[in-house]
Amino acid sequence: MRHVQLDLSLFRDTLLAAFANRHHLHLTRKPAFRTLFNLMTWRVETPPAQQLEVVPDQSVIRCGKVKR
């Protein structure tokens, strides 16, 4: 899993700035949920020179511990 550093300076004008441990939030944050998805794209050409894009979506959103 890729970890991304959250830029907390973006929240300086919000209620998040009032938290006492705001300078350490990036060390203690944990995911609230995970998303797993697969996308496939099909381009369908139909006469006269029209195109359709078909994108079926298969996804799962999980909260809590994820079983592998």
Side-chain angles (χ1 to χ4, degrees):
M1 180 187 309
R2 188 180 74 156
H3 294 278
V4 177
Q5 179 70 30
L6 178 62
D7 183 3
L8 293 175
S9 69
L10 298 172
F11 302 99
R12 74 175 132 249
D13 297 328
T14 70
L15 294 174
L16 185 60
F19 284 114
N21 66 344
R22 66 186 175 275
H23 300 295
H24 303 287
L25 283 176
H26 68 284
L27 300 173
T28 59
R29 65 185 175 89
K30 295 179 183 176
F33 59 90
R34 294 177 186 220
T35 57
L36 306 169
F37 59 92
N38 292 315
L39 282 178
M40 290 189 296
T41 303
W42 292 296
R43 293 192 188 265
V44 180
E45 293 190 24
T46 60
Q50 295 179 352
Q51 288 187 356
L52 299 172
E53 184 176 68
V54 180
V55 185
D57 179 344
Q58 179 182 1
S59 58
V60 175
I61 298 175
R62 293 193 175 134
C63 183
K65 292 185 178 183
V66 176
K67 294 181 182 178
R68 295 184 185 248

